[in-house]
Amino acid sequence: MIDVPERLTRRVAGFQAFLRGHGFRAGIPEAVDVLTLAQSVDITDKRRLRASLRSLLCSGHSDWTRFDDLFDAYWLRPNRTVLREARGYSSDGSRTAEIDGTRARGLLGDVRQGAGHAGNVSGDNAALGGACSDELLESKDFRLLTRDDELEAVEQLVARLAMRMRRRMIRRQQIAATGRRLHLRRTLRNSLQFGGTPLELSFGRRRRKSPPLVLLLDVSRSMSIYTYMMLHFTRAVVRGFKRAEAFVFHTRLISVTDALMEQNMERMRDRLTLISSGWSGGTRIGESLQSFNDDFAGQLVDRRTVVVIVSDGFDTGEPSLLSGEMQRLRARARRIVWLNPLLGRPGYEPTSAGMSAALPWLDLFAPAHNLKSLLALEAELLKL
Amino acid sequence: MGDAIEFQKRLAEAGYIAEPGLASALELLQILGRPLLVEGDAGVGKTEIAKALARVFDTHLIRLQCYEGLDASSAVYEWDYQRQLLVIKIRETEDLPAEQTERHIFSESYLLKRPLLRAITEPDPCVLLIDEIDRADEEFEAYLLEVLSDFQISIPELGTIQASSRPYVVLTSNGTREISDALRRRCLYYYLEYPEFDKELRIVKMHLPNIGNQLARQVVAFVQSLRGFDLRKTPGIAETLDWATAVLQLDVDDLNDDPAAIKRLLVCVLKTREDCATVSDLDVERLIASSG
C-alpha cells in the first residue's frame, strides 16, 4: 500500500472530469479503479501515471490518439479552464481543433471548413442560441451546421443511426427466417419422452445476413457542403454492416471502402484527401456508373443488394448514357435508392437533365439534407 | 509486484519485448482484474501478448478464436449428444423413471466444456485470449459482456456455474467491425502501434540469435521504410521475422551482397499482387541502399 498525497488523488479526479468534458467515457467504475490503482502503483511517477491512466480511461483509438495532448494540457500547463471554454464557441474549426489537440476528430478537415464558410454565407441563424437540443439539430440542414459542437453532435448521431439501422435490419430477418437445420439439443430433449427415439424434431432458425449495401457518393463541387456528413454516414455504414462497399465519384469512380475502414483517423484523412485531389471540374454520373457497372457490379451487386446513390443529379455528361447505365444497374440490383440533399429545400424540383434521366429507375427517391431525413430513410429502407 | 520495469523484464524473459506503456497496462490487468482490449493493425503482435502473459504468470493459455456465426455451443459449452443417446438406449432396458435418466444425462460428465466455460472453471487463474472479437456477432459480444462482469455461466439443464478462478482476459480486435461501447467500457485499452526501430531490432535479435548485427539493422530499417508505402497489407513483425530468417539462409552479412536474391525473397514481406507492383525494383534498390 502506497501512501498517496490527497492533493494528488484530487488532481487525478479532476483530470477525469476534464476528460469527460472532452467526450471520454470516464464514469464512476473508472474513478473507483483509479483509486485502487493509486494504492498499488506509484502514481507519483508521471510516466507510469500517464501509461496507467491511458489504458484505463481510453476506450478506442480516437481517445488513444487524443490522450497524450490532453494529458499534457492538464498536467503541464495551468490554463486548463481557458481551454475548455474555448471549445464549441469558436466557429473556426481548425483553431478549436488545434487547441483541443483533437486532430483525429475531423474526417476531411478542409471539407468541414468549407461547410463552415458556406454556412456563414448562406444563413446566419446557425450562429444563434447557446443551447441547441438534439431535436433542433435533427431538422437543421447539414449545410447550416457551422459550430464545432453542433457538427460533433450530429456526427455522433449519424454514426449511431447507421449502427441502429444495421441492428434493426438483422433483427427483422431473424424473425422472418424459418429454420432448416436440426436443433440437436432440443430434439434430444424431446426424445426423452419417447424413450430416446427422436420422434419430435426441432429446428433451429438460420440466421440470415444483413443485405449487402453499396453506396455511391457524389463528391463533386456542387455537393461539397454535404460531403463531410455523408462521408461520416458512409463510414459508419461501412464499418457497421458486414457487407457494405463505398465508392466516391466525381469525374471518375474510386473505391473508398478500404480507406474508410482505416483505424487511424489521421491516415484515413490523408488517404481520402489523396483520392480526391487532382480532379478536374464537372460531374460525370453516367460515366462513373458505367465504370461501376463494368468493373465492380459483377462482384458486388446481386439480387439482394441495395444500391444507394447520393448525388444532387447535376450531370455534365450525356443524359442518355446515365439512363442506360441506370437500366443496367436496375437489372442487377434488388433496390436502387437515390438520396438527393436538394430535395429537402423548399421549391426544389428534380428537373435537371441528369435527375430526370435517372428517376424512372429508382425504387426510392429521398432527401438527405438533415438528420430527420436520414432517420426517415431508415424506415423506408426497411420497407424495401 | 507494482513495478512496471520489473514486469517489462519478466515479459522480456518470456520472449516478448514490450514498451513501458504496455507493461503498465498489463500490470493494471493484474491489479484491477479487468479485461484488456488490444487494438492495432494486423501483425503487430497482439496475440503474442496473451501468450507471453501466460508464460509470465506461469499458467496456461485458453484461446477463443472468434468468427462470424460463433455461438454458445462452440464458445461456452455443448452437451455430448452421442453419449447421451447411447446412455438412453442402454438404460431403456433398466426400467428407470424418465426423470432419473434426465438427471443423469444432463450431469456434468456429459458436458463438453468450450473455452469460456473452461476458463472460469480452472482451479487456478489462466490467461483467456479472445482473439478478433470484432469478427463475432453482436449477440455473442453481449453474452461475453455478461460473462466478463458476473463470472458465472448458467446452463438451463444444470444450473448456474460460478467461476472457481478469475482468468486474465485479453481481447484483440482489428477493427473489422466497430465493437460496442459497453464492451469497450468494461475493458482496459491499449493501442499497439508498429514497433519503433529499436524495439523491432531487439525482437529480431531475440528470435534469431544467429543474425549478424549489420544484417539485422538493415532488415529492420528496410521493413520500417516499407511501412511508409501505401500498401494493401502492411508488413507486420511476423513478416520481418520471416524475411530475416529467409535472408539468413542466403548466408550473406549485408543486404548489398546479393540484391537480386534479396528481391526474390521479398515474397515474405509483400503479400498481394498490387503491393508487389507498388514497390518497384528501383524502390527496392533504393531501400537497400538507404538501409545502411
Side-chain angles (χ1 to χ4, degrees), chain A residues 74-115:
Chain A
Y74 183 85
W75 294 94
L76 301 184
R77 269 183 276 135
N79 55 342
R80 63 178 189 279
T81 42
V82 180
L83 286 181
R84 278 199 64 186
E85 295 290 328
R87 204 175 109 83
Y89 289 93
S90 155
S91 60
D92 182 354
S94 65
R95 215 186 87 221
T96 323
E98 201 182 294
I99 294 170
D100 276 353
T102 53
R103 294 165 314 215
R105 203 182 43 217
L107 185 68
L108 273 173
D110 45 353
V111 173
R112 162 189 252 173
Q113 272 182 54

mmCIF file of all heavy atoms in Angstrom, chain A residues 74-115:
data_model
loop_
_atom_site.group_PDB
_atom_site.id
_atom_site.type_symbol
_atom_site.label_atom_id
_atom_site.label_comp_id
_atom_site.label_asym_id
_atom_site.label_seq_id
_atom_site.Cartn_x
_atom_site.Cartn_y
_atom_site.Cartn_z
ATOM 1 N N TYR A 74 -3.475 19.082 -19.248
ATOM 2 C CA TYR A 74 -3.954 19.141 -17.874
ATOM 3 C C TYR A 74 -2.812 19.181 -16.873
ATOM 4 O O TYR A 74 -2.816 19.959 -15.936
ATOM 5 C CB TYR A 74 -4.840 17.936 -17.579
ATOM 6 C CG TYR A 74 -5.442 17.948 -16.189
ATOM 7 C CD1 TYR A 74 -6.611 18.641 -15.944
ATOM 8 C CD2 TYR A 74 -4.822 17.282 -15.125
ATOM 9 C CE1 TYR A 74 -7.161 18.670 -14.682
ATOM 10 C CE2 TYR A 74 -5.372 17.309 -13.855
ATOM 11 C CZ TYR A 74 -6.543 18.000 -13.632
ATOM 12 O OH TYR A 74 -7.087 18.029 -12.384
ATOM 13 N N TRP A 75 -1.822 18.351 -17.087
ATOM 14 C CA TRP A 75 -0.781 18.197 -16.070
ATOM 15 C C TRP A 75 0.369 19.165 -16.247
ATOM 16 O O TRP A 75 1.111 19.422 -15.308
ATOM 17 C CB TRP A 75 -0.249 16.760 -16.060
ATOM 18 C CG TRP A 75 -1.273 15.775 -15.635
ATOM 19 C CD1 TRP A 75 -2.087 15.061 -16.458
ATOM 20 C CD2 TRP A 75 -1.649 15.422 -14.306
ATOM 21 N NE1 TRP A 75 -2.937 14.290 -15.717
ATOM 22 C CE2 TRP A 75 -2.692 14.481 -14.379
ATOM 23 C CE3 TRP A 75 -1.196 15.804 -13.032
ATOM 24 C CZ2 TRP A 75 -3.297 13.925 -13.264
ATOM 25 C CZ3 TRP A 75 -1.797 15.239 -11.922
ATOM 26 C CH2 TRP A 75 -2.833 14.317 -12.045
ATOM 27 N N LEU A 76 0.557 19.697 -17.417
ATOM 28 C CA LEU A 76 1.738 20.536 -17.611
ATOM 29 C C LEU A 76 1.440 22.023 -17.553
ATOM 30 O O LEU A 76 2.231 22.793 -17.078
ATOM 31 C CB LEU A 76 2.413 20.205 -18.946
ATOM 32 C CG LEU A 76 2.877 18.762 -19.096
ATOM 33 C CD1 LEU A 76 3.614 18.575 -20.407
ATOM 34 C CD2 LEU A 76 3.762 18.331 -17.935
ATOM 35 N N ARG A 77 0.264 22.418 -18.051
ATOM 36 C CA ARG A 77 0.003 23.851 -18.101
ATOM 37 C C ARG A 77 -1.156 24.223 -17.177
ATOM 38 O O ARG A 77 -2.087 23.449 -17.003
ATOM 39 C CB ARG A 77 -0.305 24.273 -19.543
ATOM 40 C CG ARG A 77 0.937 24.707 -20.307
ATOM 41 C CD ARG A 77 0.587 25.172 -21.688
ATOM 42 N NE ARG A 77 0.477 24.051 -22.608
ATOM 43 C CZ ARG A 77 -0.498 23.913 -23.479
ATOM 44 N NH1 ARG A 77 -1.465 24.805 -23.548
ATOM 45 N NH2 ARG A 77 -0.518 22.894 -24.298
ATOM 46 N N PRO A 78 -1.109 25.386 -16.596
ATOM 47 C CA PRO A 78 -2.129 25.732 -15.621
ATOM 48 C C PRO A 78 -3.422 26.290 -16.220
ATOM 49 O O PRO A 78 -4.415 26.402 -15.534
ATOM 50 C CB PRO A 78 -1.442 26.795 -14.765
ATOM 51 C CG PRO A 78 -0.468 27.447 -15.685
ATOM 52 C CD PRO A 78 -0.080 26.428 -16.692
ATOM 53 N N ASN A 79 -3.439 26.651 -17.497
ATOM 54 C CA ASN A 79 -4.586 27.393 -18.026
ATOM 55 C C ASN A 79 -5.666 26.500 -18.614
ATOM 56 O O ASN A 79 -6.151 26.703 -19.692
ATOM 57 C CB ASN A 79 -4.116 28.394 -19.091
ATOM 58 C CG ASN A 79 -3.344 27.680 -20.168
ATOM 59 O OD1 ASN A 79 -2.886 26.566 -19.970
ATOM 60 N ND2 ASN A 79 -3.225 28.308 -21.323
ATOM 61 N N ARG A 80 -6.027 25.461 -17.888
ATOM 62 C CA ARG A 80 -6.925 24.478 -18.490
ATOM 63 C C ARG A 80 -8.361 24.987 -18.629
ATOM 64 O O ARG A 80 -9.080 24.592 -19.526
ATOM 65 C CB ARG A 80 -6.920 23.179 -17.700
ATOM 66 C CG ARG A 80 -7.426 23.313 -16.307
ATOM 67 C CD ARG A 80 -7.409 21.942 -15.623
ATOM 68 N NE ARG A 80 -8.071 21.980 -14.350
ATOM 69 C CZ ARG A 80 -7.501 22.416 -13.241
ATOM 70 N NH1 ARG A 80 -6.261 22.863 -13.273
ATOM 71 N NH2 ARG A 80 -8.156 22.431 -12.105
ATOM 72 N N THR A 81 -8.781 25.875 -17.704
ATOM 73 C CA THR A 81 -10.165 26.351 -17.806
ATOM 74 C C THR A 81 -10.369 27.105 -19.109
ATOM 75 O O THR A 81 -11.387 26.985 -19.755
ATOM 76 C CB THR A 81 -10.517 27.270 -16.631
ATOM 77 O OG1 THR A 81 -9.404 28.117 -16.415
ATOM 78 C CG2 THR A 81 -10.815 26.464 -15.385
ATOM 79 N N VAL A 82 -9.358 27.854 -19.483
ATOM 80 C CA VAL A 82 -9.434 28.598 -20.732
ATOM 81 C C VAL A 82 -9.656 27.644 -21.900
ATOM 82 O O VAL A 82 -10.467 27.880 -22.772
ATOM 83 C CB VAL A 82 -8.128 29.401 -20.954
ATOM 84 C CG1 VAL A 82 -8.211 30.175 -22.255
ATOM 85 C CG2 VAL A 82 -7.890 30.329 -19.785
ATOM 86 N N LEU A 83 -8.936 26.521 -21.849
ATOM 87 C CA LEU A 83 -9.048 25.550 -22.930
ATOM 88 C C LEU A 83 -10.474 25.044 -23.066
ATOM 89 O O LEU A 83 -11.004 24.903 -24.141
ATOM 90 C CB LEU A 83 -8.114 24.370 -22.664
ATOM 91 C CG LEU A 83 -6.646 24.632 -22.878
ATOM 92 C CD1 LEU A 83 -5.850 23.380 -22.594
ATOM 93 C CD2 LEU A 83 -6.394 25.098 -24.306
ATOM 94 N N ARG A 84 -11.095 24.747 -21.938
ATOM 95 C CA ARG A 84 -12.441 24.188 -22.022
ATOM 96 C C ARG A 84 -13.438 25.217 -22.523
ATOM 97 O O ARG A 84 -14.342 24.903 -23.272
ATOM 98 C CB ARG A 84 -12.881 23.655 -20.661
ATOM 99 C CG ARG A 84 -12.351 22.287 -20.390
ATOM 100 C CD ARG A 84 -13.134 21.614 -19.301
ATOM 101 N NE ARG A 84 -14.512 21.391 -19.687
ATOM 102 C CZ ARG A 84 -15.409 20.929 -18.846
ATOM 103 N NH1 ARG A 84 -15.101 20.708 -17.599
ATOM 104 N NH2 ARG A 84 -16.642 20.718 -19.253
ATOM 105 N N GLU A 85 -13.253 26.439 -22.078
ATOM 106 C CA GLU A 85 -14.161 27.489 -22.521
ATOM 107 C C GLU A 85 -14.092 27.668 -24.037
ATOM 108 O O GLU A 85 -15.091 27.899 -24.698
ATOM 109 C CB GLU A 85 -13.798 28.820 -21.850
ATOM 110 C CG GLU A 85 -13.994 28.836 -20.349
ATOM 111 C CD GLU A 85 -15.457 28.801 -19.975
ATOM 112 O OE1 GLU A 85 -16.260 29.357 -20.742
ATOM 113 O OE2 GLU A 85 -15.790 28.204 -18.944
ATOM 114 N N ALA A 86 -12.876 27.556 -24.528
ATOM 115 C CA ALA A 86 -12.660 27.838 -25.950
ATOM 116 C C ALA A 86 -13.421 26.870 -26.844
ATOM 117 O O ALA A 86 -13.772 27.171 -27.963
ATOM 118 C CB ALA A 86 -11.174 27.751 -26.267
ATOM 119 N N ARG A 87 -13.680 25.686 -26.308
ATOM 120 C CA ARG A 87 -14.302 24.644 -27.094
ATOM 121 C C ARG A 87 -15.749 24.977 -27.424
ATOM 122 O O ARG A 87 -16.524 25.373 -26.582
ATOM 123 C CB ARG A 87 -14.286 23.376 -26.261
ATOM 124 C CG ARG A 87 -14.341 22.134 -27.006
ATOM 125 C CD ARG A 87 -14.176 21.052 -25.968
ATOM 126 N NE ARG A 87 -15.466 20.393 -25.827
ATOM 127 C CZ ARG A 87 -15.867 19.444 -26.645
ATOM 128 N NH1 ARG A 87 -15.130 19.079 -27.603
ATOM 129 N NH2 ARG A 87 -17.015 18.861 -26.482
ATOM 130 N N GLY A 88 -16.103 24.818 -28.654
ATOM 131 C CA GLY A 88 -17.506 24.909 -29.018
ATOM 132 C C GLY A 88 -17.999 26.317 -29.285
ATOM 133 O O GLY A 88 -19.044 26.512 -29.865
ATOM 134 N N TYR A 89 -17.261 27.324 -28.868
ATOM 135 C CA TYR A 89 -17.747 28.660 -29.111
ATOM 136 C C TYR A 89 -17.060 29.325 -30.293
ATOM 137 O O TYR A 89 -17.426 30.398 -30.715
ATOM 138 C CB TYR A 89 -17.578 29.541 -27.859
ATOM 139 C CG TYR A 89 -18.541 29.114 -26.804
ATOM 140 C CD1 TYR A 89 -18.176 28.189 -25.840
ATOM 141 C CD2 TYR A 89 -19.843 29.577 -26.826
ATOM 142 C CE1 TYR A 89 -19.071 27.764 -24.896
ATOM 143 C CE2 TYR A 89 -20.751 29.159 -25.880
ATOM 144 C CZ TYR A 89 -20.371 28.255 -24.910
ATOM 145 O OH TYR A 89 -21.270 27.833 -23.993
ATOM 146 N N SER A 90 -16.047 28.634 -30.772
ATOM 147 C CA SER A 90 -15.357 29.192 -31.916
ATOM 148 C C SER A 90 -15.945 28.588 -33.186
ATOM 149 O O SER A 90 -16.208 27.395 -33.258
ATOM 150 C CB SER A 90 -13.870 28.845 -31.811
ATOM 151 O OG SER A 90 -13.303 28.839 -33.080
ATOM 152 N N SER A 91 -16.182 29.407 -34.156
ATOM 153 C CA SER A 91 -16.742 28.855 -35.398
ATOM 154 C C SER A 91 -15.629 28.440 -36.340
ATOM 155 O O SER A 91 -15.866 27.830 -37.364
ATOM 156 C CB SER A 91 -17.635 29.885 -36.075
ATOM 157 O OG SER A 91 -16.874 31.028 -36.372
ATOM 158 N N ASP A 92 -14.419 28.762 -35.962
ATOM 159 C CA ASP A 92 -13.292 28.387 -36.810
ATOM 160 C C ASP A 92 -12.819 26.988 -36.420
ATOM 161 O O ASP A 92 -12.127 26.808 -35.441
ATOM 162 C CB ASP A 92 -12.161 29.416 -36.618
ATOM 163 C CG ASP A 92 -10.988 29.095 -37.520
ATOM 164 O OD1 ASP A 92 -11.005 28.046 -38.192
ATOM 165 O OD2 ASP A 92 -10.057 29.878 -37.544
ATOM 166 N N GLY A 93 -13.252 26.013 -37.183
ATOM 167 C CA GLY A 93 -12.985 24.613 -36.871
ATOM 168 C C GLY A 93 -11.525 24.305 -36.623
ATOM 169 O O GLY A 93 -11.183 23.637 -35.667
ATOM 170 N N SER A 94 -10.676 24.841 -37.450
ATOM 171 C CA SER A 94 -9.279 24.452 -37.370
ATOM 172 C C SER A 94 -8.644 24.926 -36.067
ATOM 173 O O SER A 94 -7.872 24.216 -35.461
ATOM 174 C CB SER A 94 -8.517 25.029 -38.561
ATOM 175 O OG SER A 94 -8.525 26.424 -38.479
ATOM 176 N N ARG A 95 -9.020 26.117 -35.644
ATOM 177 C CA ARG A 95 -8.372 26.634 -34.450
ATOM 178 C C ARG A 95 -8.778 25.829 -33.228
ATOM 179 O O ARG A 95 -7.954 25.456 -32.422
ATOM 180 C CB ARG A 95 -8.718 28.115 -34.249
ATOM 181 C CG ARG A 95 -7.560 28.891 -33.655
ATOM 182 C CD ARG A 95 -7.953 30.325 -33.308
ATOM 183 N NE ARG A 95 -8.502 30.408 -31.994
ATOM 184 C CZ ARG A 95 -9.558 31.161 -31.693
ATOM 185 N NH1 ARG A 95 -10.156 31.858 -32.623
ATOM 186 N NH2 ARG A 95 -10.001 31.210 -30.471
ATOM 187 N N THR A 96 -10.063 25.565 -33.109
ATOM 188 C CA THR A 96 -10.530 24.806 -31.962
ATOM 189 C C THR A 96 -9.873 23.439 -31.934
ATOM 190 O O THR A 96 -9.436 22.973 -30.897
ATOM 191 C CB THR A 96 -12.047 24.625 -32.022
ATOM 192 O OG1 THR A 96 -12.594 25.817 -32.539
ATOM 193 C CG2 THR A 96 -12.605 24.337 -30.660
ATOM 194 N N ALA A 97 -9.811 22.841 -33.100
ATOM 195 C CA ALA A 97 -9.224 21.507 -33.159
ATOM 196 C C ALA A 97 -7.788 21.544 -32.665
ATOM 197 O O ALA A 97 -7.335 20.658 -31.971
ATOM 198 C CB ALA A 97 -9.276 20.979 -34.587
ATOM 199 N N GLU A 98 -7.109 22.611 -32.998
ATOM 200 C CA GLU A 98 -5.717 22.699 -32.616
ATOM 201 C C GLU A 98 -5.591 22.850 -31.103
ATOM 202 O O GLU A 98 -4.787 22.198 -30.463
ATOM 203 C CB GLU A 98 -5.113 23.908 -33.314
ATOM 204 C CG GLU A 98 -3.610 23.867 -33.434
ATOM 205 C CD GLU A 98 -3.134 25.125 -34.101
ATOM 206 O OE1 GLU A 98 -3.454 25.308 -35.268
ATOM 207 O OE2 GLU A 98 -2.462 25.910 -33.427
ATOM 208 N N ILE A 99 -6.438 23.691 -30.537
ATOM 209 C CA ILE A 99 -6.392 23.899 -29.095
ATOM 210 C C ILE A 99 -6.726 22.619 -28.359
ATOM 211 O O ILE A 99 -6.054 22.208 -27.432
ATOM 212 C CB ILE A 99 -7.384 25.007 -28.682
ATOM 213 C CG1 ILE A 99 -6.938 26.331 -29.269
ATOM 214 C CG2 ILE A 99 -7.462 25.102 -27.169
ATOM 215 C CD1 ILE A 99 -7.952 27.420 -29.134
ATOM 216 N N ASP A 100 -7.765 21.958 -28.821
ATOM 217 C CA ASP A 100 -8.193 20.733 -28.162
ATOM 218 C C ASP A 100 -7.201 19.601 -28.331
ATOM 219 O O ASP A 100 -7.244 18.633 -27.600
ATOM 220 C CB ASP A 100 -9.525 20.262 -28.742
ATOM 221 C CG ASP A 100 -10.680 20.962 -28.084
ATOM 222 O OD1 ASP A 100 -10.445 21.681 -27.111
ATOM 223 O OD2 ASP A 100 -11.788 20.779 -28.557
ATOM 224 N N GLY A 101 -6.361 19.737 -29.325
ATOM 225 C CA GLY A 101 -5.463 18.638 -29.610
ATOM 226 C C GLY A 101 -6.225 17.470 -30.213
ATOM 227 O O GLY A 101 -5.789 16.334 -30.164
ATOM 228 N N THR A 102 -7.389 17.723 -30.761
ATOM 229 C CA THR A 102 -8.177 16.627 -31.309
ATOM 230 C C THR A 102 -8.006 16.585 -32.809
ATOM 231 O O THR A 102 -8.956 16.736 -33.549
ATOM 232 C CB THR A 102 -9.660 16.823 -30.989
ATOM 233 O OG1 THR A 102 -10.018 18.127 -31.430
ATOM 234 C CG2 THR A 102 -9.935 16.680 -29.537
ATOM 235 N N ARG A 103 -6.783 16.369 -33.224
ATOM 236 C CA ARG A 103 -6.534 16.313 -34.655
ATOM 237 C C ARG A 103 -7.307 15.199 -35.302
ATOM 238 O O ARG A 103 -7.658 15.237 -36.455
ATOM 239 C CB ARG A 103 -5.041 16.054 -34.908
ATOM 240 C CG ARG A 103 -4.152 17.156 -34.481
ATOM 241 C CD ARG A 103 -2.758 16.600 -34.455
ATOM 242 N NE ARG A 103 -2.790 15.311 -33.770
ATOM 243 C CZ ARG A 103 -1.814 14.870 -33.008
ATOM 244 N NH1 ARG A 103 -0.747 15.573 -32.855
ATOM 245 N NH2 ARG A 103 -1.898 13.711 -32.407
ATOM 246 N N ALA A 104 -7.563 14.150 -34.510
ATOM 247 C CA ALA A 104 -8.139 12.949 -35.106
ATOM 248 C C ALA A 104 -9.625 13.095 -35.399
ATOM 249 O O ALA A 104 -10.207 12.259 -36.044
ATOM 250 C CB ALA A 104 -7.929 11.779 -34.163
ATOM 251 N N ARG A 105 -10.250 14.170 -34.889
ATOM 252 C CA ARG A 105 -11.700 14.198 -34.970
ATOM 253 C C ARG A 105 -12.216 14.450 -36.374
ATOM 254 O O ARG A 105 -13.191 13.868 -36.796
ATOM 255 C CB ARG A 105 -12.248 15.234 -34.009
ATOM 256 C CG ARG A 105 -13.671 14.959 -33.634
ATOM 257 C CD ARG A 105 -14.190 16.032 -32.718
ATOM 258 N NE ARG A 105 -13.774 17.326 -33.167
ATOM 259 C CZ ARG A 105 -13.431 18.299 -32.376
ATOM 260 N NH1 ARG A 105 -13.420 18.139 -31.101
ATOM 261 N NH2 ARG A 105 -13.066 19.462 -32.858
ATOM 262 N N GLY A 106 -11.579 15.346 -37.081
ATOM 263 C CA GLY A 106 -12.091 15.697 -38.407
ATOM 264 C C GLY A 106 -11.880 14.580 -39.405
ATOM 265 O O GLY A 106 -10.887 13.884 -39.370
ATOM 266 N N LEU A 107 -12.825 14.422 -40.289
ATOM 267 C CA LEU A 107 -12.684 13.385 -41.306
ATOM 268 C C LEU A 107 -11.945 13.971 -42.489
ATOM 269 O O LEU A 107 -10.923 13.493 -42.930
ATOM 270 C CB LEU A 107 -14.065 12.904 -41.719
ATOM 271 C CG LEU A 107 -14.129 11.739 -42.683
ATOM 272 C CD1 LEU A 107 -13.632 10.493 -42.007
ATOM 273 C CD2 LEU A 107 -15.547 11.540 -43.134
ATOM 274 N N LEU A 108 -12.462 15.069 -42.958
ATOM 275 C CA LEU A 108 -11.799 15.790 -44.019
ATOM 276 C C LEU A 108 -11.785 17.236 -43.565
ATOM 277 O O LEU A 108 -12.738 17.957 -43.772
ATOM 278 C CB LEU A 108 -12.584 15.673 -45.321
ATOM 279 C CG LEU A 108 -12.309 14.476 -46.200
ATOM 280 C CD1 LEU A 108 -13.279 14.441 -47.336
ATOM 281 C CD2 LEU A 108 -10.892 14.504 -46.731
ATOM 282 N N GLY A 109 -10.733 17.597 -42.882
ATOM 283 C CA GLY A 109 -10.693 18.913 -42.258
ATOM 284 C C GLY A 109 -11.074 20.025 -43.215
ATOM 285 O O GLY A 109 -11.889 20.882 -42.883
ATOM 286 N N ASP A 110 -10.539 19.979 -44.420
ATOM 287 C CA ASP A 110 -10.780 21.074 -45.346
ATOM 288 C C ASP A 110 -12.246 21.143 -45.773
ATOM 289 O O ASP A 110 -12.827 22.195 -45.915
ATOM 290 C CB ASP A 110 -9.858 20.969 -46.573
ATOM 291 C CG ASP A 110 -9.796 19.570 -47.105
ATOM 292 O OD1 ASP A 110 -10.357 18.665 -46.461
ATOM 293 O OD2 ASP A 110 -9.199 19.366 -48.150
ATOM 294 N N VAL A 111 -12.854 19.952 -45.921
ATOM 295 C CA VAL A 111 -14.252 19.923 -46.309
ATOM 296 C C VAL A 111 -15.107 20.563 -45.228
ATOM 297 O O VAL A 111 -15.986 21.356 -45.487
ATOM 298 C CB VAL A 111 -14.711 18.479 -46.550
ATOM 299 C CG1 VAL A 111 -16.203 18.447 -46.795
ATOM 300 C CG2 VAL A 111 -13.963 17.885 -47.710
ATOM 301 N N ARG A 112 -14.769 20.209 -43.969
ATOM 302 C CA ARG A 112 -15.547 20.734 -42.880
ATOM 303 C C ARG A 112 -15.441 22.263 -42.830
ATOM 304 O O ARG A 112 -16.435 22.956 -42.643
ATOM 305 C CB ARG A 112 -15.026 20.160 -41.578
ATOM 306 C CG ARG A 112 -15.488 20.960 -40.397
ATOM 307 C CD ARG A 112 -14.789 20.489 -39.176
ATOM 308 N NE ARG A 112 -15.754 19.781 -38.385
ATOM 309 C CZ ARG A 112 -15.464 19.111 -37.294
ATOM 310 N NH1 ARG A 112 -14.245 19.017 -36.902
ATOM 311 N NH2 ARG A 112 -16.386 18.544 -36.597
ATOM 312 N N GLN A 113 -14.249 22.759 -43.025
ATOM 313 C CA GLN A 113 -14.114 24.204 -43.016
ATOM 314 C C GLN A 113 -14.923 24.826 -44.138
ATOM 315 O O GLN A 113 -15.540 25.856 -43.976
ATOM 316 C CB GLN A 113 -12.650 24.584 -43.186
ATOM 317 C CG GLN A 113 -11.928 24.654 -41.866
ATOM 318 C CD GLN A 113 -10.512 25.087 -42.059
ATOM 319 O OE1 GLN A 113 -10.273 26.123 -42.665
ATOM 320 N NE2 GLN A 113 -9.581 24.310 -41.578
ATOM 321 N N GLY A 114 -14.897 24.116 -45.261
ATOM 322 C CA GLY A 114 -15.694 24.579 -46.390
ATOM 323 C C GLY A 114 -17.160 24.685 -46.001
ATOM 324 O O GLY A 114 -17.823 25.669 -46.269
ATOM 325 N N ALA A 115 -17.626 23.644 -45.287
ATOM 326 C CA ALA A 115 -19.016 23.645 -44.870
ATOM 327 C C ALA A 115 -19.284 24.825 -43.945
ATOM 328 O O ALA A 115 -20.306 25.482 -44.027
ATOM 329 C CB ALA A 115 -19.340 22.336 -44.163
#
